[in-house]
Amino acid sequence: MKLGMRLTTASALALLGLVPFALIAALVAGGWPPLHDLDRAVTDSLHTWALGHPHWTEANKWWTNIFAPMPLRAAALILVIWLLRRRAKRLALWAVTAMAVGGVLGALLKLLVGRHRPDLLDPVARATGYSFPSGHALNAALTAGVFVLVLLPVARGAKRWVLWGSAIAVTVLTGLSRIVLGVHWTSDVVAGWLLGIAVVAVTAAAFPRLRPERVVEEGLEPELADAQPPR
């Protein structure tokens, strides 16, 4: 795909993420009753299910710990180191930028919105800090997007489906685990997904304009994928 097409696609994805995210944030900050009622209904329903299925609840705890923000950032760091060893410095810099921007935005928005987490009588899990947006959902979408943009150009055949499937599964299941465990409202998770997608898209679209060299036009250059790291 040509650079112009990639930038157009990235810009469209950014709008598709930022516009609904801004709307949800405004509704949450304004305490819109229908959204609160919907969040409460979903939380109560899934909490009842979690109490009745302790084995699945324990599996959700394992999942949410494995794909927590810090392990996901560690995975992104490994990817960055791999890129640097393949001399793909620009792409490594973009990956670091996307993860950093998303992490900072998520932390700032939590403080600005100041939304409290669900308060359940018989909680199956606990979490600290404010609720909106979900840091797990945000970082899952961020990390999945970074891995897809970096690796998709050098993936061939069935590997592309595996890459996309893994990215979607990690993003969706990580967000859902937070709702099942009763530590986030549904709108927190949806907002986290949208913000993560938007950050990846915005940084991918903007990064080539910061430097004259190509950054995500071709993803990881195929010739670098097979190159041996310098000794």
Side-chain angles (χ1 to χ4, degrees):
M1 188 183 294
K2 298 298 184 182
L3 178 59
M5 183 63 71
R6 281 181 179 267
L7 292 178
T8 300
T9 302
S11 299
L13 286 173
L15 286 175
L16 289 174
L18 287 175
V19 171
F21 170 80
L23 176 61
I24 293 174
L27 294 177
V28 167
W32 194 49
L35 180 61
H36 175 77
D37 292 343
L38 178 61
D39 277 337
R40 172 58 68 180
V42 174
T43 293
D44 289 345
S45 178
L46 288 180
H47 182 60
T48 300
W49 182 89
L51 290 174
H53 298 80
H55 295 300
W56 281 107
T57 301
E58 193 64 27
N60 275 277
K61 291 180 181 179
W62 277 95
W63 184 278
T64 201
N65 289 330
I66 292 172
F67 294 100
M70 289 308 296
L72 289 173
R73 289 166 186 158
L77 178 60
I78 293 172
L79 179 67
V80 168
I81 294 172
W82 181 77
L83 288 170
L84 291 174
R85 288 174 61 85
R86 266 64 183 178
R87 305 187 303 279
K89 295 180 181 180
R90 294 164 295 173
L91 197 55
L93 181 59
W94 167 75
V96 171
T97 301
M99 295 297 297
V101 169
V104 170
L105 278 177
L108 288 176
L109 286 166
K110 281 180 179 289
L111 293 175
L112 288 174
V113 176
R115 189 186 202 186
H116 294 291
R117 296 177 184 271
D119 185 15
L120 303 171
L121 291 177
D122 188 15
V124 298
R126 297 185 183 278
T128 59
Y130 290 120
S131 185
F132 183 92
S134 165
H136 279 68
L138 167 60
N139 283 277
L142 268 177
T143 308
V146 167
F147 270 80
V148 166
L149 278 187
V150 169
L151 300 178
L152 190 62
V154 294
R156 296 291 180 267
K159 292 181 180 179
R160 289 194 165 213
W161 291 103
V162 172
L163 181 61
W164 273 112
S166 300
I168 293 172
V170 168
T171 301
V172 172
L173 294 178
T174 301
L176 291 179
S177 72
R178 305 303 285 170
I179 308 173
V180 170
L181 294 175
V183 294
H184 273 295
W185 304 105
T186 301
S187 54
D188 299 335
V189 170
V190 173
W193 287 336
L194 292 170
L195 183 60
I197 293 170
V199 169
V200 170
V202 168
T203 54
F207 215 84
R209 297 187 177 94
L210 300 178
R211 296 171 62 95
E213 301 90 350
R214 296 176 301 171
V215 177
V216 291
E217 177 182 357
E218 298 294 341
L220 177 63
E221 294 87 337
E223 63 272 14
L224 293 179
D226 300 323
Q228 295 296 322
R231 297 184 182 278

PDB file of all heavy atoms in Angstrom, residues 68-82:
ATOM      1  N   ALA A  68      -1.753  -7.380  31.492  1.00  0.00           N
ATOM      2  CA  ALA A  68      -1.815  -6.084  32.174  1.00  0.00           C
ATOM      3  C   ALA A  68      -0.901  -5.085  31.457  1.00  0.00           C
ATOM      4  O   ALA A  68      -0.061  -5.473  30.632  1.00  0.00           O
ATOM      5  CB  ALA A  68      -1.394  -6.249  33.631  1.00  0.00           C
ATOM      6  N   PRO A  69      -1.041  -3.795  31.739  1.00  0.00           N
ATOM      7  CA  PRO A  69      -0.228  -2.791  31.039  1.00  0.00           C
ATOM      8  C   PRO A  69       1.272  -3.036  31.098  1.00  0.00           C
ATOM      9  O   PRO A  69       1.969  -2.915  30.083  1.00  0.00           O
ATOM     10  CB  PRO A  69      -0.619  -1.489  31.743  1.00  0.00           C
ATOM     11  CG  PRO A  69      -2.039  -1.711  32.159  1.00  0.00           C
ATOM     12  CD  PRO A  69      -2.094  -3.148  32.555  1.00  0.00           C
ATOM     13  N   MET A  70       1.818  -3.399  32.254  1.00  0.00           N
ATOM     14  CA  MET A  70       3.265  -3.573  32.360  1.00  0.00           C
ATOM     15  C   MET A  70       3.782  -4.741  31.520  1.00  0.00           C
ATOM     16  O   MET A  70       4.777  -4.584  30.790  1.00  0.00           O
ATOM     17  CB  MET A  70       3.682  -3.727  33.824  1.00  0.00           C
ATOM     18  CG  MET A  70       3.567  -2.440  34.626  1.00  0.00           C
ATOM     19  SD  MET A  70       4.406  -1.020  33.838  1.00  0.00           S
ATOM     20  CE  MET A  70       6.104  -1.587  33.876  1.00  0.00           C
ATOM     21  N   PRO A  71       3.175  -5.928  31.568  1.00  0.00           N
ATOM     22  CA  PRO A  71       3.629  -6.998  30.672  1.00  0.00           C
ATOM     23  C   PRO A  71       3.499  -6.634  29.194  1.00  0.00           C
ATOM     24  O   PRO A  71       4.359  -7.010  28.379  1.00  0.00           O
ATOM     25  CB  PRO A  71       2.714  -8.173  31.044  1.00  0.00           C
ATOM     26  CG  PRO A  71       2.331  -7.917  32.455  1.00  0.00           C
ATOM     27  CD  PRO A  71       2.198  -6.431  32.566  1.00  0.00           C
ATOM     28  N   LEU A  72       2.442  -5.902  28.841  1.00  0.00           N
ATOM     29  CA  LEU A  72       2.281  -5.495  27.448  1.00  0.00           C
ATOM     30  C   LEU A  72       3.372  -4.508  27.042  1.00  0.00           C
ATOM     31  O   LEU A  72       3.909  -4.570  25.923  1.00  0.00           O
ATOM     32  CB  LEU A  72       0.902  -4.861  27.244  1.00  0.00           C
ATOM     33  CG  LEU A  72      -0.285  -5.830  27.299  1.00  0.00           C
ATOM     34  CD1 LEU A  72      -1.591  -5.062  27.267  1.00  0.00           C
ATOM     35  CD2 LEU A  72      -0.230  -6.819  26.134  1.00  0.00           C
ATOM     36  N   ARG A  73       3.726  -3.592  27.941  1.00  0.00           N
ATOM     37  CA  ARG A  73       4.817  -2.662  27.646  1.00  0.00           C
ATOM     38  C   ARG A  73       6.143  -3.399  27.531  1.00  0.00           C
ATOM     39  O   ARG A  73       6.994  -3.031  26.712  1.00  0.00           O
ATOM     40  CB  ARG A  73       4.886  -1.592  28.729  1.00  0.00           C
ATOM     41  CG  ARG A  73       3.726  -0.608  28.688  1.00  0.00           C
ATOM     42  CD  ARG A  73       3.629   0.215  29.950  1.00  0.00           C
ATOM     43  NE  ARG A  73       2.437   1.048  29.942  1.00  0.00           N
ATOM     44  CZ  ARG A  73       1.864   1.535  31.025  1.00  0.00           C
ATOM     45  NH1 ARG A  73       2.391   1.281  32.226  1.00  0.00           N
ATOM     46  NH2 ARG A  73       0.783   2.287  30.935  1.00  0.00           N
ATOM     47  N   ALA A  74       6.320  -4.435  28.341  1.00  0.00           N
ATOM     48  CA  ALA A  74       7.537  -5.241  28.243  1.00  0.00           C
ATOM     49  C   ALA A  74       7.597  -5.944  26.884  1.00  0.00           C
ATOM     50  O   ALA A  74       8.672  -6.019  26.265  1.00  0.00           O
ATOM     51  CB  ALA A  74       7.577  -6.270  29.375  1.00  0.00           C
ATOM     52  N   ALA A  75       6.454  -6.445  26.411  1.00  0.00           N
ATOM     53  CA  ALA A  75       6.414  -7.074  25.100  1.00  0.00           C
ATOM     54  C   ALA A  75       6.749  -6.067  24.002  1.00  0.00           C
ATOM     55  O   ALA A  75       7.488  -6.382  23.042  1.00  0.00           O
ATOM     56  CB  ALA A  75       5.037  -7.683  24.850  1.00  0.00           C
ATOM     57  N   ALA A  76       6.221  -4.846  24.128  1.00  0.00           N
ATOM     58  CA  ALA A  76       6.532  -3.797  23.153  1.00  0.00           C
ATOM     59  C   ALA A  76       8.017  -3.442  23.191  1.00  0.00           C
ATOM     60  O   ALA A  76       8.630  -3.176  22.150  1.00  0.00           O
ATOM     61  CB  ALA A  76       5.677  -2.565  23.418  1.00  0.00           C
ATOM     62  N   LEU A  77       8.609  -3.445  24.389  1.00  0.00           N
ATOM     63  CA  LEU A  77      10.039  -3.152  24.516  1.00  0.00           C
ATOM     64  C   LEU A  77      10.877  -4.216  23.814  1.00  0.00           C
ATOM     65  O   LEU A  77      11.878  -3.904  23.144  1.00  0.00           O
ATOM     66  CB  LEU A  77      10.424  -3.067  25.991  1.00  0.00           C
ATOM     67  CG  LEU A  77      11.908  -2.818  26.297  1.00  0.00           C
ATOM     68  CD1 LEU A  77      12.367  -1.504  25.681  1.00  0.00           C
ATOM     69  CD2 LEU A  77      12.153  -2.835  27.803  1.00  0.00           C
ATOM     70  N   ILE A  78      10.480  -5.472  23.961  1.00  0.00           N
ATOM     71  CA  ILE A  78      11.183  -6.555  23.257  1.00  0.00           C
ATOM     72  C   ILE A  78      11.094  -6.350  21.752  1.00  0.00           C
ATOM     73  O   ILE A  78      12.077  -6.549  21.017  1.00  0.00           O
ATOM     74  CB  ILE A  78      10.589  -7.919  23.667  1.00  0.00           C
ATOM     75  CG1 ILE A  78      10.900  -8.199  25.142  1.00  0.00           C
ATOM     76  CG2 ILE A  78      11.139  -9.039  22.785  1.00  0.00           C
ATOM     77  CD1 ILE A  78      10.203  -9.420  25.692  1.00  0.00           C
ATOM     78  N   LEU A  79       9.923  -5.940  21.279  1.00  0.00           N
ATOM     79  CA  LEU A  79       9.758  -5.665  19.850  1.00  0.00           C
ATOM     80  C   LEU A  79      10.669  -4.526  19.411  1.00  0.00           C
ATOM     81  O   LEU A  79      11.294  -4.595  18.341  1.00  0.00           O
ATOM     82  CB  LEU A  79       8.301  -5.319  19.561  1.00  0.00           C
ATOM     83  CG  LEU A  79       7.961  -4.966  18.103  1.00  0.00           C
ATOM     84  CD1 LEU A  79       8.125  -6.198  17.214  1.00  0.00           C
ATOM     85  CD2 LEU A  79       6.552  -4.406  17.985  1.00  0.00           C
ATOM     86  N   VAL A  80      10.756  -3.468  20.220  1.00  0.00           N
ATOM     87  CA  VAL A  80      11.619  -2.333  19.894  1.00  0.00           C
ATOM     88  C   VAL A  80      13.089  -2.768  19.827  1.00  0.00           C
ATOM     89  O   VAL A  80      13.818  -2.379  18.910  1.00  0.00           O
ATOM     90  CB  VAL A  80      11.428  -1.212  20.939  1.00  0.00           C
ATOM     91  CG1 VAL A  80      12.522  -0.153  20.805  1.00  0.00           C
ATOM     92  CG2 VAL A  80      10.058  -0.572  20.772  1.00  0.00           C
ATOM     93  N   ILE A  81      13.522  -3.574  20.791  1.00  0.00           N
ATOM     94  CA  ILE A  81      14.904  -4.063  20.782  1.00  0.00           C
ATOM     95  C   ILE A  81      15.165  -4.897  19.535  1.00  0.00           C
ATOM     96  O   ILE A  81      16.222  -4.776  18.888  1.00  0.00           O
ATOM     97  CB  ILE A  81      15.182  -4.884  22.058  1.00  0.00           C
ATOM     98  CG1 ILE A  81      15.121  -3.969  23.287  1.00  0.00           C
ATOM     99  CG2 ILE A  81      16.550  -5.576  21.973  1.00  0.00           C
ATOM    100  CD1 ILE A  81      15.198  -4.719  24.601  1.00  0.00           C
ATOM    101  N   TRP A  82      14.203  -5.723  19.169  1.00  0.00           N
ATOM    102  CA  TRP A  82      14.327  -6.543  17.950  1.00  0.00           C
ATOM    103  C   TRP A  82      14.458  -5.660  16.713  1.00  0.00           C
ATOM    104  O   TRP A  82      15.266  -5.930  15.825  1.00  0.00           O
ATOM    105  CB  TRP A  82      13.115  -7.462  17.855  1.00  0.00           C
ATOM    106  CG  TRP A  82      13.117  -8.370  16.667  1.00  0.00           C
ATOM    107  CD1 TRP A  82      13.855  -9.506  16.505  1.00  0.00           C
ATOM    108  CD2 TRP A  82      12.323  -8.231  15.488  1.00  0.00           C
ATOM    109  NE1 TRP A  82      13.567 -10.081  15.294  1.00  0.00           N
ATOM    110  CE2 TRP A  82      12.628  -9.322  14.653  1.00  0.00           C
ATOM    111  CE3 TRP A  82      11.378  -7.301  15.061  1.00  0.00           C
ATOM    112  CZ2 TRP A  82      12.028  -9.508  13.417  1.00  0.00           C
ATOM    113  CZ3 TRP A  82      10.777  -7.474  13.834  1.00  0.00           C
ATOM    114  CH2 TRP A  82      11.107  -8.564  13.022  1.00  0.00           C
TER     115      TRP A  82
END
